[in-house]
């Protein structure tokens, strides 16, 4: 069928197989061109189909020559329905990896469940023996625990109401949004979903099963951002979950022998999950404009290639005084933030296109679903029922 974008609020309900493939290839080419990294050789990536997780998998495979097992939660397509973008990304990644002689297998299912943990352990035992790196890159709206409880995360403040500027992408207008405070119950649920509990369960399960090499590194991702987003992010319900994630890194390192856990604080980028956060898309549109003008802009693949090559496997591990890897180092540069804040103070519907990189934001959003890729004919019929070569 001919596939066109169908955008509903913060998501696009269609995805383009050829476009996703092309964009995965661009990421692979970027990593290849940056050269070899003396890094891990057997890598498990949990949340491997989109955004930072996909970029981590590509960096491990094509930078370090690693065998990779990916855990994804995606939908296969059929003749009249497209698959999710993560499905097409994974199909493309595996196809390229296999053609290049790299081991790559994928397990599709709920990473929070013990069934998927058991399946991953069995696969590692059968094919790799052990892993030497585990990337935890889930961004999920909810989590079901083994007792059947479903926890839903919220994007709210933890203090009082917070009012600030936001962008309405449907009408290209700058509006004021008011974000209510989360209840204690909502904060608890957000920590359950986006905090470190499941990360620790994964590492504990892998370690108990004897499938973790001594000297294994595990990394999970976080965000801090500038003061203007603190009420909704760093000091909001999601920030409380990220505090829990950081505390969990310390717990994993001290309680699980042979494993060192890091939290990497990454740059704010357009992904499926960040587009749902109020205030943040307007901030990202301004940030893109400033960082592109200063020649400092990076996407997920540039960030993750740099994390592997410089922060984790460039010799000494590079952390800040709190033990965090800082991939937001360029975003948080005072000269960048001064410019962003100056624009933030005067941004309005009237000067939106001149003061932000809204076009870049929109393009990146479309590209999440395989649209606006170079060299793809979007008027041609494509096979939407593409399979993943080694899916379990
Ligand atoms: P994303 O939406 O692009 O990717 C999330 C991935 O998790 C997808 O592959 C999705 O399929 C997978 N996933 C979700 N639920 C799952 C489940 N139950 N089982 C298996 N897989 C599941 O998100 P992202 O922006 O790349 O976020 C990844 C991490 O990076 C998150 O911890 C996020 O907070 C963090 N981060 C994001 C940004 C940003 O600006 N996007 C910045 C800093 C840190």
């Amino acid at each position: 069928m001919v596939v066109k974008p169908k955008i509903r609020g913060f998501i696009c309900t269609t995805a383009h197989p050829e476009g996703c493939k092309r964009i995965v290839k661009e990421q692979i080419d970027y990593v290849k061109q940056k050269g070899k990294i003396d890094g891990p050789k057997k890598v498990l990536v949990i949340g491997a189909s989109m955004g930072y997780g996909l970029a981590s998998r590509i960096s491990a495979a094509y930078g370090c020559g690693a065998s990779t097992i990916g855990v994804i939660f995606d939908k296969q397509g059929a003749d009249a329905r497209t698959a999710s973008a993560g499905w097409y990304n994974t199909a493309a990644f595996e196809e390229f990896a296999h053609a290049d002689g790299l081991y790559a297998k994928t397990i599709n299912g709920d990473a929070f469940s013990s069934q998927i943990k058991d399946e991953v352990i069995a696969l590692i035992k059968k094919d790799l023996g052990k892993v030497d790196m585990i990337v935890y890159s889930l961004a999920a709206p909810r989590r079901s625990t083994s007792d059947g409880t479903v926890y839903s995360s919220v994007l709210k403040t933890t203090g009082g109401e917070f009012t600030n500027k936001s962008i309405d992408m449907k009408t290209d207008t700058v509006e004021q949004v008011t974000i209510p405070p989360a209840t204690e119950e909502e904060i608890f649920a957000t920590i359950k979903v986006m905090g470190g509990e499941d990360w620790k369960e994964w590492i504990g399960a892998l370690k108990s099963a004897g499938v973790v090499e001594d000297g294994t590194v595990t990394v999970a991702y976080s965000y801090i951002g500038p003061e203007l987003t603190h009420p909704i992010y760093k000091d909001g319900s999601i920030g409380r979950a990220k505090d829990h994630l950081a505390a969990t890194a310390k717990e994993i390192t001290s309680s699980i022998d042979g494993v060192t856990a890091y939290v990497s604080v990454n740059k704010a980028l357009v992904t499926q999950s960040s587009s749902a956060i109020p205030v943040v898309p307007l901030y990202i549109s301004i940030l893109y404009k400033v960082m592109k003008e200063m020649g400092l802009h990076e996407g997920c693949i540039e960030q993750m290639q740099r994390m592997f090559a410089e922060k984790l496997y460039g010799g000494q591990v590079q952390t800040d005084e709190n033990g965090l890897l800082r991939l937001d180092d360029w975003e948080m540069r005072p000269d960048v933030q001064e410019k962003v804040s100056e624009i933030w103070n005067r941004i309005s519907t009237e000067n939106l296109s001149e003061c932000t990189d809204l076009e870049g934001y929109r393009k990146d959003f479309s590209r999440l679903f395989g649209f606006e890729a170079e060299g793809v004919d979007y008027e041609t019929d494509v096979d939407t029922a593409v399979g993943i070569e080694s899916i379990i």
Side-chain angles (χ1 to χ4, degrees), residues 303-371:
Q303 283 261 296
M304 292 298 94
Q305 194 280 337
R306 189 156 70 89
M307 180 184 80
F308 275 81
E310 294 178 19
K311 303 283 179 187
L312 276 175
Y313 298 104
Q316 250 345 48
V317 175
Q318 287 178 27
T319 63
D320 69 4
E321 62 284 8
N322 299 314
L324 301 167
L325 306 172
R326 299 304 296 264
L327 268 301
D328 65 341
D329 44 1
W330 299 355
E331 171 182 356
M332 296 311 290
R333 265 172 49 164
D335 52 350
V336 171
Q337 285 303 323
E338 267 160 37
K339 288 194 175 135
V340 169
S341 149
E342 186 273 315
I343 296 175
W344 185 268
N345 290 334
R346 63 186 168 87
I347 194 75
S348 66
T349 303
E350 290 66 43
N351 59 22
L352 193 60
S353 55
E354 156 210 340
C355 293
T356 68
D357 182 26
L358 197 55
E359 210 180 300
Y361 184 99
R362 277 194 200 291
K363 185 168 183 187
D364 275 8
F365 184 80
S366 296
R367 284 168 60 88
L368 294 177
F369 307 95
F371 299 102

Side-chain angles (χ1 to χ4, degrees), residues 223 225-226 228 266-270 280-298 328 330-333 335-341 343-344 355-358 361:
Y223 183 66
L228 75 93
N266 299 342
K267 178 188 176 186
L269 282 174
V270 181
V280 168
L282 181 58
Y283 166 73
I284 291 181
S285 314
I286 298 174
L287 183 73
Y288 272 28
K289 168 120 182 142
V290 171
M291 291 188 82
K292 283 180 185 176
E293 277 175 7
M294 293 173 79
L296 293 173
H297 180 69
E298 295 176 297
D328 65 341
W330 299 355
E331 171 182 356
M332 296 311 290
R333 265 172 49 164
D335 52 350
V336 171
Q337 285 303 323
E338 267 160 37
K339 288 194 175 135
V340 169
S341 149
I343 296 175
W344 185 268
C355 293
T356 68
D357 182 26
L358 197 55
Y361 184 99

Side-chain angles (χ1 to χ4, degrees), residues 73-324:
F73 201 24
D74 281 281
K75 280 201 201 80
Q76 184 162 16
D79 287 342
R81 198 191 63 233
T82 76
S84 54
W87 179 276
Y88 291 140
N89 289 339
T90 305
F93 171 78
E94 281 207 5
E95 192 184 325
F96 289 122
H98 297 159
D100 290 330
L102 290 163
Y103 172 100
K105 286 192 183 175
T106 304
I107 290 187
N108 191 27
D110 183 2
F112 291 122
S113 69
S114 49
Q115 184 202 329
I116 292 297
K117 292 181 177 76
D118 292 344
E119 284 181 25
V120 168
I121 288 167
L123 182 63
I124 297 172
K125 278 190 179 160
K126 179 165 85 66
D127 287 359
L128 304 178
K130 293 183 178 191
V131 290
D132 57 0
M133 183 186 200
I134 303 141
V135 175
Y136 188 84
S137 186
L138 293 187
R142 68 191 67 82
R143 168 185 173 197
S144 308
T145 48
S146 50
D147 63 1
T149 314
V150 180
Y151 296 95
S152 294
S153 66
V154 297
L155 293 159
K156 294 187 180 175
T157 74
T158 56
E161 278 186 349
F162 168 63
T163 301
N164 208 332
K165 294 173 188 172
S166 199
I167 185 170
D168 181 340
M169 289 287 179
K170 282 200 277 305
T171 54
D172 283 2
T173 48
V174 177
E175 52 180 23
Q176 295 281 325
V177 286
T178 298
I179 298 133
T183 61
E184 281 307 316
E185 208 173 89
E186 286 175 322
I187 294 172
F188 181 79
T190 307
I191 294 172
K192 278 277 181 190
V193 182
M194 290 299 286
E197 188 177 69
D198 181 63
W199 183 25
K200 196 173 169 201
E201 279 177 20
W202 265 103
I203 308 301
L206 294 163
K207 178 73 187 177
S208 307
V211 296
V212 175
E213 296 278 12
D214 261 356
T216 285
V217 162
T218 183
V219 62
Y221 302 136
S222 185
Y223 183 66
I224 296 177
E227 256 172 48
L228 75 93
T229 62
H230 282 184
I232 178 67
Y233 204 101
K234 178 177 166 290
D235 300 333
S237 47
I238 180 72
R240 294 282 287 276
K242 294 299 185 186
D243 290 345
H244 187 270
L245 194 74
T248 305
K250 294 201 170 92
E251 268 178 43
I252 292 174
T253 303
S254 62
S255 66
I256 303 182
D257 236 21
V259 180
T260 310
Y262 295 99
V263 164
S264 174
V265 182
N266 299 342
K267 178 188 176 186
L269 282 174
V270 181
T271 63
Q272 202 160 5
S273 34
S274 71
S275 53
I277 310 176
V279 181
V280 168
L282 181 58
Y283 166 73
I284 291 181
S285 314
I286 298 174
L287 183 73
Y288 272 28
K289 168 120 182 142
V290 171
M291 291 188 82
K292 283 180 185 176
E293 277 175 7
M294 293 173 79
L296 293 173
H297 180 69
E298 295 176 297
C300 288
I301 197 63
E302 289 84 357
Q303 283 261 296
M304 292 298 94
Q305 194 280 337
R306 189 156 70 89
M307 180 184 80
F308 275 81
E310 294 178 19
K311 303 283 179 187
L312 276 175
Y313 298 104
Q316 250 345 48
V317 175
Q318 287 178 27
T319 63
D320 69 4
E321 62 284 8
N322 299 314
L324 301 167

